[in-house]
Amino acid sequence: MPLAVYILGLSVFALGTSEFMLSGLLPAVADDMHVSIPRAGLLISAFAVGMVVGAPLLAVATLRLPRRTTLIALISVFGLGQIAGALAPNYAVLFASRVVSALACAGFWAVGAAVAVAMVPVNARARALAVMIGGLSIANVLGVPAGAFLGESLGWRSAFWAVGAASAVALVGVATLIPRIPLPDEKPRLRNELRIYRDRQVWLTISLIAFSAGGVFCAFSYLAPLLTDVAGLDEGWVPAVLALFGVGALIGTTIGGRIADAHLFGVLLSGIAASTVLLVTLALLAQYAVAAAALAFLLGVSAFYTAPALNARLFNVATAAPTLAAATTTAAFNLGNTGGPWIGGAAIDAGLGFASPAWAGAALTVTAGVLTAISLRLYRRATPSRVVTRAAPRTGVAAEVGAEVGAEVGADRNTGRSTN
């Protein structure tokens, strides 16, 4: 695996810490900003909305720009967004800083994922993406609990300052260690990339990603109040439980990344089913502290076990447009990250209690499982994607990847394997 892929993973550590650290800071932010916990939870949704909008927007806007320069600019804007959040005098400014940070984060994910995929063979996509997702997992292991610890010890603003510092380190790594990625001889054309949206498998994959992510983060976004108000844990234990979720995420990413290239649909179906069972169990046993902590760990495993496969699946069905594929994947995940916390907050506001987001999350993951089964059935019955076979002539890495995927899909039809 090229060193540059690991640098991207380290950069994602800073991005992921900022995206998810509010899960452990909601009570403190709500008190300081004089808002309710569900309204503070909208800061998580705000970040996700910025990711949904920013990923395709910035992917299109930077389609013909040098990749390394784009990554440097985006990580710089992200770091400035963290500083703005740390200095925010009120809820509105904090909300705006989250949106700006999310736009930069989305662009970095989209361009970074496209760069990672371009640097590896087609049969190593899931592993390359797993390295990037591994940065997100480490953020959950170290960054999110550290943010909660800082929030508990020095105030929630200190967590934003820490992420700003991590962003500066990431900026140095990107500027010095990411190689220059040459643009293809034929400049990318937006019209050609937009053709991926004619394929129903692309839309099915977008939907199953959104429902799968939404189900998990519907519950995860309100894990801190569930642990303190339902399970009866002291606030000091919240960072430790969040760290357990992160350890589970790292384990899940490692396992899923190793086997998703060979058994993609098997990983999707088993991982989504496991998440559903765990969410239902969490809703039933939330009042028991030990059970809640153990289930948080297992939910991290199941959720991130599927993440490399979800990423790779969309790249496989949208090979003709690698940049928009990365952006679309980012947007799909964050559609779930937007809807999940909103649905969880609505359940709490309805008076159903802090365990209700787990029930709502289970309903979302059941839907994701149904969509995965439909996608698998269509895959087994269909011919190779018309988007791949009819794409305009391409050069360089994109052309080689498209040819390999077309051959791989044809081989799968003959051997009965389900690698895509």
Side-chain angles (χ1 to χ4, degrees):
M1 196 64 61
L3 175 62
V5 175
Y6 291 99
I7 297 302
L8 292 171
L10 289 173
S11 301
V12 168
F13 168 79
L15 306 180
T17 299
S18 177
E19 183 171 5
F20 299 120
M21 70 181 179
L22 280 181
S23 298
L25 300 174
L26 284 184
V29 172
D31 287 343
D32 190 34
M33 293 295 175
H34 307 293
V35 297
S36 66
I37 286 181
R39 192 178 180 198
L42 291 179
L43 293 169
I44 300 174
S45 294
F47 198 99
V49 169
M51 293 280 284
V52 171
V53 174
L57 181 64
L58 288 170
V60 169
T62 63
L63 194 59
R64 300 188 179 188
L65 297 179
R67 305 289 84 185
R68 185 174 64 179
T69 302
T70 302
L71 292 174
I72 290 172
L74 291 170
I75 196 68
S76 299
V77 172
F78 175 81
L80 292 174
Q82 302 310 297
I83 295 173
L87 297 173
N90 54 50
Y91 180 84
V93 174
L94 180 58
F95 192 95
S97 75
R98 296 294 288 170
V99 174
V100 171
S101 296
L103 291 171
C105 179
F108 192 96
W109 262 105
V111 176
V115 168
V117 168
M119 290 189 294
V120 299
V122 66
N123 62 351
R125 283 175 173 172
R127 278 177 287 162
L129 292 168
V131 171
M132 287 192 66
I133 298 168
L136 191 61
S137 301
I138 295 172
N140 280 285
V141 174
L142 299 177
V144 174
F149 176 78
L150 286 173
E152 182 72 20
S153 305
L154 303 174
W156 64 268
R157 295 176 190 272
S158 64
F160 280 79
W161 285 114
V163 175
S167 302
V169 174
L171 172 61
V172 173
V174 170
T176 58
L177 297 174
I178 296 292
R180 178 180 175 274
I181 306 294
L183 293 173
D185 296 333
E186 180 183 343
K187 291 184 178 180
R189 296 181 180 178
L190 179 59
R191 178 179 297 179
N192 290 342
E193 295 232 347
L194 288 173
R195 293 174 70 178
I196 65 172
Y197 298 118
R198 299 178 186 176
D199 193 329
R200 61 182 175 180
Q201 282 282 24
V202 170
W203 288 106
L204 268 174
T205 306
I206 291 171
S207 299
L208 73 90
I209 289 173
F211 278 100
S212 177
V216 172
F217 287 99
C218 180
F220 179 76
S221 297
Y222 299 97
L223 188 59
L226 180 144
L227 292 171
T228 56
D229 289 26
V230 180
L233 280 176
D234 185 85
E235 288 183 357
W237 283 100
V238 171
V241 177
L242 293 176
L244 280 177
F245 179 91
V247 171
L250 185 58
I251 293 172
T253 301
T254 302
I255 297 172
R258 288 183 178 274
I259 64 178
D261 285 308
H263 305 285
L264 194 143
F265 277 107
V267 169
L268 291 178
L269 290 170
S270 60
I272 291 171
S275 293
T276 302
V277 172
L278 291 169
L279 286 167
V280 170
T281 307
L282 178 62
L284 293 172
L285 302 180
Q287 67 270 31
Y288 302 108
V290 173
L295 289 167
F297 165 76
L298 294 173
L299 189 60
V301 174
S302 67
F304 282 79
Y305 167 73
T306 60
L310 290 168
N311 278 272
R313 176 60 184 160
L314 195 46
F315 272 98
N316 287 350
V317 297
T319 300
T323 304
L324 272 186
T328 302
T329 304
T330 301
F333 270 105
N334 285 281
L335 279 172
N337 292 350
T338 301
W342 180 82
I343 291 172
I348 294 170
D349 280 338
L352 300 178
F354 287 119
S356 61
W359 286 114
L364 294 175
T365 55
V366 165
T367 305
V370 171
L371 292 171
T372 304
I374 294 172
S375 183
L376 174 58
R377 183 176 181 183
L378 290 176
Y379 166 75
R380 286 174 171 171
R381 294 173 56 186
T383 55
S385 169
R386 66 177 183 274
V387 174
V388 174
T389 56
R390 295 181 187 177
R394 287 165 283 129
T395 59
V397 174
E400 295 173 8
V401 169
E404 291 181 31
V405 171
E408 188 173 297
V409 171
D412 289 346
R413 296 287 175 261
N414 296 326
T415 63
R417 291 186 296 115
S418 58
T419 57
N420 288 299

